[in-house]
C-alpha cells in the first residue's frame, strides 16, 4: 500500500504527461512507475542507501548518514566470498582491488581459465566509507550480500558475448591502465543509461562530450550539499529512470533481477539468524538495484528464489594494486574522471567539514589527533523521521550557478603551461592567458558560470596542443595528471600472499625497496658474496614466471653446467605487483609454482617432444631437481614415440645435444631416460627419414636436423643396441625430388661412405655443365649448406661448391640467388655461417697480392695411386736431424727405459723403408687425395 507522500508529485507528472503526449496513457507507465519505485524504496523498513560507483557525492552522503544513523549491521553489495579480505585493506595504500582468482576450473569450460574477478576500491567511494565504519566501530557487523565470484561466471553467457564483440579493442596508452588484466570487474552502482538514444539526448542537451562529464555537472555538483533525504530520493529517481528506459536485453535484465533476488534473500537469512532489527541496518547498493521491482524485494518479500550451489572450482582471494586509469579503462569511464572525482572529494571535505571514515593504520591516511578524538562525544542516534517529499522541491529548483573562482582557474592555467613546457611543448604566458579566457568562454557557451575541469581540459587542448605531441603525454593527459594524477595503489607487505612475502624476504640481501614502483638496478657479485647466489636463483625463476620487464637481466646468463660470477638486473617488482600476487594464488613458493607450470606444459595435450625437453632443461637449470628432470624426460620419450611429424626436429636436436653435454660433464653416468630417448629417437627418425625426404611440407632444415640427430647420436645409439643397417636402409629408400633435399641426401651418402668426395665433385660439375639444371643449382647449394648440420666434415667441400658457383654461374642466375642465400643462412643456418667463414679464411690467401698467383686446392692435380715420390733408399740423407739434436730422443728413451747408445746411420738411409716402400707410397697417395 502506498501513502500520500508523493501524491502531489504524481499529479504534476500526470499533468505533464497529458500536456506533452496528448494524453496520460503514453507516459503514465514510465513517470508514475518512477514515483512508485521511489516511494516503495523510501518506505522500506530496512533503509536502502543508493550509491553510484566512485562518486564523491555518494561517499560524502554515506559518511554523513553513518554518523547520524550509526547502524549495527551494514549490508554491502559486494561478492560475499570477498569478506575475509576487507580487513587487509588497512595494510594497503588505496586504490586497490579485491580479487578472486582461479587457475584450475572445475565446472566451467577449460578455455575460460584463468578466472578472475576484481572489485576496485578508492577512498572517494561510498563502499570504502561503509567498510571503514564497520571494521573500526565496535559492535558493527559488515555483511556482503552480492553473488559469489563463482556465480559471476555461472551466470555469464561468454559464448554469446564472444561471438559479437562490443567494438574494436584499443590497447591502453599507459601500463597502469592494464593493472586489472582481463579480469571481470564488479562495481557498486553501475549507474549509466542503457538506452543509447537517451544517453545521446542527455549529452547533446547537456552540452558535454561524455557521460562522466554529464554526471559531474548535473548530479555530483547539485547533490554535494543536499541533505540525506534529498540525496536518497534523487538517486532512487535516477536509478528507476534508467531502469524503465533500459532496452530489452533479456540476459542482462535476468542477471540484474537475479542479483537483486540473491541479495534480498541473503539479507532476510541474516536477519532471521541474527535477530537484528531492520531499523538498525543499512543496505548499501547501486541506485539501479535500489529501485528493484522483483517479488523478493524488502524484508517482507517472498522467499521463492533458490540460490544454486557453487561449482568445485577452488578460488583464491587477495588484494592487487589498482589505479585510476585501470578503473576508467575497465568500466568505460572517461579518462581522468576518477582523478577529478578524487579532487572533488577532497574539496567537499574541506568545504563541508565532514569527517570521513578511514581504516585505522591505513597507508597514506593522516593519523587522527588523539586530543581531538578524546574530546569528541558520540551523541545518541536520532529516531528515524517519517519520509517526506523532497523530489518536488529539487526538480523545481533552478540550477545554482557557482560564481567564478578566478584564483583557482588562474592557478590551473599557470600549472598546465608549466607542465606542458616540461613535456616539450613551446608554451608561454600567452598560452596561459588564452587557456584562462577560453575556459570561461566554453563554460559560458555551455550555460555554466564556473568552468569545470572538463571545460578547462578542452580549453588547454585547444590553446596548447597545436600540430603534434612532442612527448609521450598529450595535453589532455597532462590535465588529468594535474587534476590529481593517476594514483596507483599498493598492497602492503602484511597483505601479500605467502609467496610474495617469501620473494621479498629472499631478495632482502639486495638492499632494494622492492615494493617501490619503477625500475631499480641490482648488482650481484656472486663470486665475492656467495650468499647472493640464492638471490640469483630467485631472480631467474621470477624472469621465467613473471611478465617481461619485472626481472630483466642486464649482465649474466644462466646455462647448463655454468656457475654465475657477476650479474646485473633491472627489477620492477613494485610495478608488476599484481603478477607477483597472482603467482601466490598458485602455490606457497616460486619453486612450487614453477614445478606445477613445467608439469602442466609437459602434460598438455598439444605438448611436443621439443616443448617437453625445454621443460626438462628448465627444471635442471632453475630448480636443479633430478627427480623432476627424470619424470619430464620420461614424458619426452613418450611424446616423441607418439609423434608422426618432423616439425620439432631442429629444436629436439639442439636441446638433446645440450642435455647430453651437461650430463656427460657433470654426472658419472647418463640418466636412463636420455639413453632411452637416444635409442628411441634413432629408430624413430630412421623410420620417418624416407617420408620426410619426399614430403613437400618438411623443410630442408627439419630433414637436416633429423640426419644431425642420427649421425651425432650414432655412437651412443649403437652402444645401446641400435643397428646401423637401419640408417643405411633409410638413406637408400630416400628419393627426394627437391634439389636442396637431393644435395642433403648426397651429403648423407658421403657420410655413410656410399659416395666418395670425387663422385660428389663430379655430380656438382655435371650440374654446372647442364644448362637445364643451372637455374636450380643455387637450391643445391642451399641443401649443401644445411648439410653442415649433420655432416660438418663437408665444410671445405661446401666452400668449394660456393666458390665454383660464384666463378661459373652467370649473373642472371647468381644475383637473384644471393638474397635467398643470405636470408636462408640468417633464418635457418645462423649457427652454420661461422663454419663456412672459418673454413674460407683457412683456404683463401690472407693478402690481396697473393690472390693472383693463388690456385684453389681443389684445382690442384691430385696424385694417382701408381705415382711414387719417395726417394730411393740410396739417396736418403738418413736421420740427420735426430742425430744433430738427440736431447728429445734421449729423454724419451730414458722415460721408456731404453738407454742404448746411438748407432751410426747406415750409408743407404733407413734400411726398412728402402726394402718396403709400398706402405709409405700408399699413405702419401691417401693424404694427397683426402
Amino acid at each position: 500500500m502506498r501513502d500520500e507522500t508523493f501524491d502531489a508529485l504524481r499529479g504534476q507528472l500526470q499533468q505533464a504527461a497529458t500536456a506533452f503526449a496528448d494524453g496520460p496513457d503514453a507516459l503514465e507507465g514510465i513517470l508514475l512507475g518512477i514515483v512508485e519505485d521511489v516511494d516503495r524504496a523510501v518506505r522500506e523498513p530496512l533503509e536502502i542507501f543508493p550509491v553510484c560507483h566512485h562518486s564523491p557525492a555518494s561517499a560524502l552522503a554515506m559518511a554523513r548518514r553513518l554518523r547520524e544513523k550509526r547502524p549495527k549491521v551494514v549490508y554491502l553489495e559486494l561478492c560475499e566470498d570477498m569478506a575475509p579480505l576487507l580487513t587487509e585493506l588497512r595494510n594497503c595504500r588505496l586504490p586497490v582491488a579485491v580479487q578472486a582468482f582461479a587457475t584450475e576450473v572445475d565446472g566451467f569450460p577449460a578455455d575460460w581459465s584463468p578466472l578472475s574477478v576484481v572489485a576496485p576500491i578508492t577512498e572517494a567511494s561510498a563502499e570504502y566509507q561503509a567498510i571503514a565504519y564497520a571494521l573500526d566501530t565496535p559492535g558493527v557487523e559488515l555483511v556482503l550480500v552480492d553473488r559469489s565470484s563463482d556465480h559471476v561466471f555461472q551466470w555469464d553467457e561468454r559464448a554469446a558475448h564472444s561471438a559479437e564483440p562490443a567494438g574494436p579493442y584499443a590497447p591502453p596508452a599507459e601500463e597502469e591502465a592494464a593493472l586489472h588484466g582481463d579480469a571481470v570487474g564488479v562495481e557498486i552502482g553501475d549507474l549509466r543509461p542503457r538506452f543509447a538514444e537517451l544517453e545521446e539526448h542527455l549529452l547533446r542537451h547537456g552540452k558535454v562530450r561524455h557521460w562522466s562529464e554529464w554526471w559531474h555537472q548535473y548530479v555530483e555538483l547539485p547533490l554535494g550539499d543536499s541533505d540525506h533525504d534529498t540525496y536518497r530520493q534523487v538517486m532512487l529517481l535516477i536509478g528507476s529512470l534508467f531502469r524503465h528506459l533500459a532496452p530489452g536485453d533479456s540476459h542482462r535484465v535476468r542477471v540484474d533481477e537475479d542479483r537483486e533476488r540473491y541479495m534480498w534473500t541473503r539479507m532476510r537469512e541474516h536477519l532471521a539468524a541474527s535477530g537484528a532489527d531492520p531499523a538498525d541496518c543499512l543496505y548499501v547498493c547501486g541506485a539501479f538495484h535500489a529501485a528493484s521491482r522483483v517479488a523478493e524485494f524488502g524484508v517482507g518479500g517472498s522467499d521463492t528464489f533458490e540460490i544454486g550451489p557453487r561449482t568445485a572450482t577452488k578460488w583464491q582471494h587477495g588484494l592487487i594494486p589498482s589505479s585510476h586509469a585501470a578503473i576508467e579503462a575497465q568500466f568505460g569511464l572517461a579518462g581522468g574522471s576518477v582523478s577529478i572525482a578524487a579532487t572533488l572529494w577532497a574539496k567537499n571535505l574541506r568545504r563541508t567539514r565532514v569527517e570521513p571514515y578511514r581504516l585505522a593504520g591505513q597507508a597514506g591516511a593522516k593519523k587522527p589527533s588523539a586530543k581531538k578524538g578524546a574530546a569528541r562525544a558520540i551523541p545518541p542516534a536520532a529516531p528515524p523521521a517519517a519520509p517526506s517529499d523532497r523530489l518536488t522541491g529539487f526538480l523545481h529548483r533552478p540550477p545554482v550557478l557557482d560564481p567564478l573562482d578566478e584564483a583557482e582557474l588562474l592557478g590551473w592555467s599557470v600549472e598546465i603551461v608549466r607542465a606542458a613546457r616540461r613535456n616539450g611543448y613551446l608554451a608561454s604566458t600567452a598560452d596561459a592567458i588564452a587557456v584562462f579566457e577560453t575556459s570561461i568562454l566554453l563554460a559560458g557557451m555551455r550555460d555554466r558560470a564556473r568552468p569545470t575541469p572538463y571545460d578547462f581540459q578542452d580549453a588547454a587542448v585547444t590553446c596548447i596542443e597545436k600540430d603534434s605531441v612532442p612527448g609521450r603525454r598529450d595535453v589532455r593527459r597532462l590535465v588529468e595528471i594535474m587534476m590529481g594524477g593517476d594514483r596507483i595503489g599498493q598492497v602492503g607487505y602484511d597483505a601479500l600472499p605467502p609467496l610474495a612475502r617469501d620473494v621479498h624476504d629472499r631478495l632482502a640481501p639486495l638492499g632494494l625497496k622492492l615494493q617501490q614502483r619503477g625500475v631499480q638496478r641490482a648488482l650481484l657479485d656472486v663470486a665475492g658474496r656467495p650468499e647472493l647466489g640464492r638471490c640469483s636463483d630467485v631472480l631467474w625463476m621470477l624472469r621465467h614466471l613473471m611478465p617481461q620487464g619485472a626481472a630483466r637481466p642486464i649482465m649474466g646468463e644462466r646455462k647448463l653446467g655454468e656457475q654465475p660470477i657477476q650479474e646485473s638486473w633491472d627489477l620492477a617488482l613494485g610495478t608488476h605487483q599484481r603478477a607477483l600476487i597472482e603467482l601466490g594464488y598458485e602455490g606457497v613458493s616460486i619453486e612450487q609454482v614453477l614445478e606445477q607450470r613445467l608439469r602442466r606444459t609437459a602434460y598438455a595435450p598439444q605438448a611436443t617432444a621439443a616443448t617437453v625437453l625445454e621443460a626438462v632443461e628448465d627444471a635442471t637449470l632453475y630448480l636443479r631437481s633430478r627427480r623432476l628432470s627424470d619424470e619430464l624426460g620420461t614424458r619426452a620419450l613418450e611424446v616423441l614415440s607418439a609423434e608422426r611429424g618432423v616439425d620439432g626436429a631442429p629444436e629436439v636436436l639442439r636441446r638433446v645435444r645440450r642435455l647430453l653435454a651437461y650430463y656427460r660433464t657433470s654426472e658419472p653416468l647418463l640418466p636412463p631416460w636420455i639413453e632411452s630417448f637416444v635409442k628411441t629417437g634413432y629408430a624413430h627418425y630412421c623410420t620417418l627419414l624416407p617420408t620426410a625426404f619426399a614430403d613437400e611440407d618438411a623443410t630442408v632444415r627439419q630433414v637436416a636436423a633429423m640426419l644431425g640427430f642420427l649421425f651425432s647420436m650414432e655412437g651412443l645409439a649403437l652402444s645401446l643396441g641400435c643397428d646401423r643397417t637401419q640408417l643405411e636402409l633409410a638413406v637408400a629408400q630416400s628419393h627426394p625430388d627437391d634439389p636442396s633435399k637431393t644435395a642433403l641426401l648426397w651429403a648423407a651418402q658421403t657420410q655413410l661412405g656410399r659416395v666418395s668426395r670425387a663422385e660428389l665433385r663430379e655430380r656438382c660439375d655435371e650440374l654446372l655443365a647442364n644448362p637445364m639444371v643451372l637455374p636450380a643449382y643455387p637450391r643445391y647449394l642451399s641443401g649443401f649448406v644445411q648439410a653442415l648440420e649433420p655432416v660438418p666434415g663437408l665444410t671445405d667441400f661446401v666452400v668449394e661448391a660456393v666458390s665454383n658457383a660464384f666463378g661459373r654461374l652467370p649473373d642472371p642466375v647468381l644475383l637473384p640467388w644471393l638474397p635467398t642465400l643470405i636470408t636462408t643462412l640468417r633464418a635457418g643456418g645462423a649457427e652454420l655461417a661461422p663454419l663456412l667463414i672459418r673454413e674460407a679464411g683457412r683456404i683463401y690467401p690472407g693478402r690481396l697480392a697473393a690472390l693472383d698467383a693463388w690456385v684453389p686446392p681443389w684445382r690442384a692435380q691430385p696424385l694417382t695411386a701408381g705415382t711414387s715420390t719417395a726417394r730411393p733408399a740410396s739417396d736418403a740423407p738418413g736421420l740427420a736431424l735426430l742425430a744433430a739434436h738427440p736431447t728429445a730422443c734421449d729423454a724419451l728413451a730414458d722415460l721408456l727405459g731404453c738407454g742404448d747408445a746411438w748407432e751410426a746411420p747406415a750409408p743407404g738411409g733407413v734400411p726398412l723403408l728402402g726394402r718396403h716402400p709400398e706402405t709409405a707410397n700408399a699413405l702419401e697417395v691417401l693424404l694427397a687425395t683426402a
Side-chain angles (χ1 to χ4, degrees), residues 209-464:
R209 292 178 292 110
H210 45 72
W211 176 251
S212 299
E213 184 176 358
W214 186 94
W215 182 267
H216 172 85
Q217 179 64 30
Y218 295 100
V219 179
E220 285 293 335
L221 297 180
L223 289 181
D225 296 324
S226 61
D227 59 277
H228 170 65
D229 290 337
T230 302
Y231 165 82
R232 201 169 82 153
Q233 293 177 22
V234 170
M235 292 294 288
L236 290 170
L237 172 70
I238 297 174
S240 179
L241 173 65
F242 292 166
R243 194 180 190 103
H244 280 82
L245 298 181
D249 186 350
S250 58
H251 170 67
R252 189 169 185 179
V253 172
R254 184 174 66 253
V255 170
D256 288 333
E257 293 180 349
D258 286 345
R259 289 182 64 184
E260 293 154 7
R261 296 185 179 99
Y262 194 107
M263 290 187 286
W264 281 109
T265 301
R266 288 301 192 202
M267 284 187 284
R268 282 193 298 271
E269 291 176 355
H270 180 268
L271 290 173
S274 63
D277 186 359
D280 295 331
C281 303
L282 186 68
Y283 172 35
V284 183
C285 67
F288 189 89
H289 298 297
S292 175
R293 291 169 291 172
V294 297
E296 290 79 6
F297 181 88
V299 294
S302 63
D303 292 324
T304 57
F305 183 73
E306 295 183 1
I307 299 176
R310 303 181 188 180
T311 65
T313 301
K314 295 182 179 180
W315 290 89
Q316 304 286 337
H317 297 83
L319 297 170
I320 63 173
S322 183
S323 68
H324 292 173
I327 296 172
E328 293 160 0
Q330 186 167 39
F331 299 111
L333 305 177
S337 59
V338 180
S339 299
I340 293 175
T343 304
L344 183 61
W345 160 254
K347 284 184 178 181
N348 290 341
L349 292 181
R350 291 193 299 266
R351 188 184 73 253
T352 61
R353 299 185 181 276
V354 173
E355 184 178 353
Y357 287 96
R358 289 188 177 94
L359 288 170
Q362 180 76 61
K366 296 181 180 179
K367 295 183 179 180
S369 174
K371 181 178 179 181
K372 180 179 179 181
R376 184 181 181 88
I378 301 178
S388 60
D389 180 12
R390 300 298 180 91
L391 280 179
T392 304
F394 182 85
L395 296 176
H396 284 176
R397 186 177 63 196
V400 178
L401 299 179
D402 294 335
L404 173 63
D405 189 346
E406 293 187 0
E408 180 187 55
L409 183 59
L410 185 60
W412 288 356
S413 303
V414 173
E415 184 62 29
I416 189 58
V417 169
R418 183 183 293 113
R421 291 183 64 85
R422 286 197 302 264
N423 285 268
Y425 288 92
L426 299 178
S428 62
T429 305
D431 293 310
I433 299 173
V435 172
F436 180 87
E437 297 294 341
T438 307
S439 300
I440 299 175
L441 178 63
L442 287 177
M445 295 172 60
R446 297 166 179 173
D447 298 332
R448 295 192 281 266
R450 181 176 184 173
T452 65
Y454 298 98
D455 299 326
F456 173 76
Q457 187 179 57
D458 293 340
V461 172
T462 303
C463 299
I464 298 177

Side-chain angles (χ1 to χ4, degrees), residues 774-930:
L774 198 60
Y777 187 73
R779 300 179 62 187
Y780 284 93
L781 288 182
S782 298
F784 280 127
V785 171
Q786 293 294 334
L788 296 180
E789 178 70 51
V791 191
L794 286 179
T795 306
D796 57 339
F797 176 80
V798 175
V799 173
E800 173 187 345
V802 173
S803 301
N804 290 336
F806 277 84
R808 297 175 60 177
L809 285 178
D811 290 347
V813 176
L814 182 62
L815 294 180
W817 169 67
L818 285 178
T820 305
L821 176 64
I822 295 173
T823 55
T824 302
L825 285 176
R826 179 177 297 177
E831 68 279 1
L832 304 176
L835 296 176
L836 294 176
I837 296 173
R838 186 165 53 249
E839 185 65 21
R842 187 186 67 82
I843 294 177
Y844 285 92
R847 297 184 178 274
L848 184 62
L851 186 61
D852 295 335
W854 177 73
V855 178
W858 54 84
R859 291 187 180 177
Q861 293 295 328
L863 296 175
T864 60
T867 305
S868 176
T869 58
R871 254 183 228 174
S874 57
D875 297 336
L879 303 178
L881 185 62
L882 291 178
H885 305 281
T887 306
C889 289
D890 289 341
L892 181 60
D894 293 340
L895 183 63
L896 296 176
C898 303
D900 298 338
W902 281 78
E903 296 182 359
V910 182
L912 185 61
L913 293 178
R915 291 194 299 269
H916 305 284
E918 295 82 4
T919 304
N921 292 338
L923 178 61
E924 183 177 7
V925 171
L926 179 61
L927 294 176
T929 57

Side-chain angles (χ1 to χ4, degrees), residues 26-27 116 191 279 572 716 862:
L27 294 178
S116 179
L191 207 56
L716 179 59

